[in-house]
Amino acid sequence: MNDMRIVERDVETREIKIRGDKVQVFYGDNHAIKDVDIEIQDKTVTAFIGPSGCGKSTFLRCLNRMNDTIEGCRVEGEITLDEEDIYNKQVDPVQLRAKVGMVFQKPNPFPKSIYDNVAYGPRIHGLASNKADLDVIVEKSLRRGAIWDEVKDRLDAPGTGLSGGQQQRLCIARAVATEPEVLLMDEPCSALDPIATAQVEELIDELRTNYSVVIVTHSMQQAARVSQKTAFFHLGNLVEYNETGEIFTNPKDPRTESYITGRIG
Amino acid sequence: MSKPHITSAYDRDLEAVQAHLMKMGGLVEAAIIDAANSLETRDEDLAEQVRRNDRQIDEMETRVNEEAARLIALRAPTAVDLRTVLTVMKISNNLERVGDYAKNMAKRTSVLVHMTPIEGSASDIRRMAKSVELMLKDALDAYIQRDGALAEDVRLRDREVDQMYNALFRQFLTYMMEDPRHITGCMHLHFIAKNIERMGDHVTSIAEQVIYLVTGEMPDDARPKGDKTPYMAEPRG
């Protein structure tokens, strides 16, 4: 009887990968994230939705300490990855970002060959001891990025020469090359056409078998399509966080309902 | 099925909800046959089982409708996908009604087994139930195969069921006139026959949904109707 909710049943058994506890973020005097408690599950796609300026990207960037690079940004509270505080002084942010990869809104391949784009991370993290190992990693990553077949014959061509959708999948391949445990995606499809979007969404669904994926999206339909859990942010608060089907058929908070039904909240 | 979607999870969702609908269809087919058999073999336990199993059918309807609602909310289906989801919801509703009629047959059977049988009626009713069950089976096959021609065939076959109902209606009327002690039994049997006739209408509606699914349009020509009993007046002679 349960085979219909394959996706959701999976989610119920997942372990917690990231835990946020009373997270506050300030940009100078601006209180951007207020008291966010969240548990993000492993091997699950979690979508952050909400209007512009609601804090969803800010919160996403806390998860791999990208906010460290922003002047005047202060993070309080606790964020743990596998029960370890990622803001602990002992944690090297560079190592953290190898574990928590990120894909950005605009495809941003390095001005290098397709091969080098993917090989860059494994090289600097010393993941391959020789060229043959590196070749294996590059192929595996490009396959995971669902772009291998399209680029295998032109690995030396510049990554910037690919189409937008291919560039984004190349960036995803680059992000998975360092064997991250979590993949953060900030509007990964907003610059892509519907077909490329569908391809990236299919890829996200496949990545879920190995990673915990957190995606920020302006497209509610995308959140509905790709995620198993959805978090709705509003004015820096985490308003509602639940199974995606519940959020989109029966949201509990009137603010969530207004937002997803396109009403003024 | 048509070509797969780029997002394979979409296909899995669509397949899952349809698989549930077919499972529900299987339960309803079994309910029709079991209800008719319980009447013919005067098997009160089997009738009781049909009544109990109806709950499962009802639960599946709720489930199918919930999943269809989720699909609409999460996937925003269009074109053939939208028609698939809409027809799933309507067909599940039809199946649930057919299940209810089978349950009602079983209830009346539980009464009838304690009364003197009306000769021949139970086997006539079983034959009628069997035709409806076959129609349902074909309608569901037509759904899975996206076979509009088979669905059209099912739609036309409802007339035969109507004719069987007319014949039974006359037969029960005659028995009741012959001997008033037959009235209670014949009234129950008549309702059973009427229930099966209604099942046929629901199966016809399923077939029409298949035609809509395949062609995008509901069949507009009036289908032949065979139920003459609404016009029946005082019997002659």
Side-chain angles (χ1 to χ4, degrees):
Chain A
M1 278 292 279
N2 278 323
D3 51 352
M4 181 168 277
R5 303 199 173 192
I6 311 159
V7 172
E8 283 65 42
R9 195 183 57 227
D10 277 353
V11 170
E12 284 161 19
T13 61
R14 292 302 166 208
E15 292 160 6
I16 305 302
K17 188 71 185 170
I18 297 173
R19 196 188 308 270
D21 191 23
K22 302 241 177 324
V23 179
Q24 323 275 342
V25 180
F26 301 88
Y27 291 120
D29 293 336
N30 179 13
H31 196 175
I33 291 286
K34 298 162 192 161
D35 245 356
V36 169
D37 292 319
I38 195 168
E39 289 181 343
I40 294 170
Q41 290 165 317
D42 199 9
K43 298 188 172 33
T44 300
V45 180
T46 304
F48 290 175
I49 60 169
S52 292
C54 68
K56 57 192 188 301
S57 288
T58 296
F59 189 73
L60 186 80
R61 295 160 70 89
C62 290
L63 303 180
N64 68 346
R65 293 181 58 174
M66 289 289 280
N67 290 333
D68 289 14
T69 59
I70 297 172
E71 190 83 12
C73 179
R74 193 154 47 89
V75 179
E76 291 176 8
E78 191 182 53
I79 299 176
T80 60
L81 173 68
D82 292 328
E83 305 296 332
E84 284 184 34
D85 185 357
I86 63 169
Y87 280 88
N88 189 310
K89 289 200 172 56
Q90 324 262 295
V91 173
D92 174 5
V94 176
Q95 289 302 323
L96 173 70
R97 288 174 203 141
K99 267 197 195 171
V100 184
M102 191 153 187
V103 176
F104 298 86
Q105 180 168 1
K106 219 171 142 242
N108 55 350
F110 303 135
K112 291 166 174 291
S113 71
I114 293 169
Y115 185 95
D116 286 339
N117 259 281
V118 181
Y120 185 80
R123 269 195 196 120
I124 63 165
H125 288 284
L127 299 180
S129 48
N130 55 45
K131 176 77 166 72
D133 279 1
L134 197 55
D135 286 350
V136 171
I137 292 175
V138 169
E139 175 173 345
K140 193 171 139 196
S141 305
L142 287 168
R143 281 189 191 281
R144 278 203 195 144
I147 192 177
W148 171 251
D149 289 334
E150 291 159 61
V151 299
K152 64 183 174 197
D153 302 320
R154 46 173 170 149
L155 294 174
D156 294 331
T160 47
L162 298 169
S163 76
Q166 288 173 325
Q167 284 188 15
Q168 195 60 307
R169 281 179 286 145
L170 175 63
C171 291
I172 294 170
R174 185 179 65 190
V176 301
T178 55
E179 296 287 338
E181 295 166 21
V182 179
L183 207 53
L184 308 179
M185 300 181 144
D186 195 351
E187 300 261 4
C189 298
S190 59
L192 305 183
D193 79 1
I195 299 293
T197 298
Q199 284 164 340
V200 170
E201 287 177 2
E202 171 68 0
L203 173 59
I204 292 170
D205 195 54
E206 280 166 21
L207 292 173
R208 178 165 69 89
T209 50
N210 294 308
Y211 309 104
S212 173
V213 180
V214 186
I215 177 171
V216 163
T217 175
H218 264 136
S219 158
M220 278 174 284
Q221 272 306 316
Q222 178 167 58
R225 289 189 299 259
V226 298
S227 71
Q228 288 78 52
K229 299 272 279 193
T230 296
F232 171 60
F233 286 84
H234 185 59
L235 301 174
N237 298 299
L238 175 58
V239 173
E240 190 165 352
Y241 177 47
N242 206 342
E243 193 261 315
T244 299
E246 277 294 306
I247 293 274
F248 283 92
T249 54
N250 191 18
K252 297 290 174 287
D253 193 290
R255 287 168 292 176
T256 316
E257 175 132 1
S258 295
Y259 183 67
I260 64 167
T261 56
R263 291 176 165 81
I264 295 166
Chain B
M1 278 287 274
S2 42
K3 283 193 280 185
H5 291 95
I6 296 169
T7 31
S8 52
Y10 193 175
D11 289 320
R12 290 203 296 276
D13 286 357
L14 280 171
E15 277 160 24
V17 71
Q18 293 179 81
H20 259 72
L21 184 71
M22 290 303 118
K23 204 166 154 186
M24 187 181 169
L27 291 177
V28 173
E29 280 180 45
I32 301 172
I33 291 298
D34 287 347
N37 282 345
S38 70
L39 175 66
E40 190 174 24
T41 59
R42 302 172 76 76
D43 184 342
E44 211 177 347
D45 290 341
L46 185 56
E48 178 54 34
Q49 195 189 313
V50 173
R51 291 167 66 173
R52 274 200 313 271
N53 288 352
D54 188 56
R55 175 175 293 182
Q56 206 187 340
I57 294 171
D58 291 352
E59 283 168 2
M60 289 196 80
E61 188 209 11
T62 309
R63 184 106 189 237
V64 165
N65 288 346
E66 277 174 10
E67 286 306 315
R70 275 174 59 89
L71 234 155
I72 292 172
L74 301 188
R75 304 263 173 219
T78 52
V80 68
D81 299 327
L82 177 62
R83 297 206 299 276
T84 303
V85 179
L86 293 177
T87 52
V88 159
M89 295 180 88
K90 288 197 169 178
I91 293 174
S92 76
N93 187 316
N94 287 129
L95 287 174
E96 190 273 335
R97 296 300 308 159
V98 174
D100 277 356
Y101 285 129
K103 180 183 173 184
N104 188 273
M105 277 171 70
K107 276 187 192 165
R108 293 180 191 280
T109 297
S110 305
V111 177
L112 283 165
V113 292
H114 299 293
M115 298 169 64
T116 321
I118 311 288
E119 205 185 317
S121 60
S123 58
D124 285 346
I125 282 176
R126 185 190 32 83
R127 269 193 292 280
M128 187 175 168
K130 183 68 194 168
S131 332
V132 169
E133 188 261 341
L134 263 179
M135 277 169 65
L136 177 58
K137 184 180 166 299
D138 285 347
L140 296 176
D141 281 350
Y143 179 83
I144 285 299
Q145 313 286 342
R146 305 294 193 256
D147 185 343
L150 181 56
E152 183 59 35
D153 178 58
V154 170
R155 188 169 167 258
L156 297 177
R157 268 151 60 192
D158 187 45
R159 195 176 184 180
E160 296 162 26
V161 176
D162 287 350
Q163 283 162 350
M164 288 189 224
Y165 170 63
N166 289 338
L168 279 168
F169 184 97
R170 287 204 186 84
Q171 192 183 327
F172 294 142
L173 209 56
T174 315
Y175 283 142
M176 286 189 276
M177 284 190 298
E178 275 172 12
D179 187 346
R181 281 173 302 179
H182 283 152
I183 288 177
T184 308
C186 280
M187 285 301 287
H188 280 305
L189 286 167
H190 165 253
F191 273 112
I192 288 176
K194 182 68 191 167
N195 284 348
I196 300 173
E197 188 272 326
R198 290 296 296 147
M199 286 180 189
D201 293 343
H202 281 285
V203 174
T204 306
S205 157
I206 293 174
E208 286 173 348
Q209 288 301 315
V210 175
I211 293 169
Y212 168 69
L213 173 62
V214 176
T215 65
E217 280 168 34
M218 284 297 279
D220 52 358
D221 55 318
R223 70 189 169 85
K225 297 247 165 64
D227 180 2
K228 304 282 194 288
T229 56
Y231 315 107
M232 219 166 267
E234 286 278 288
R236 288 179 302 265

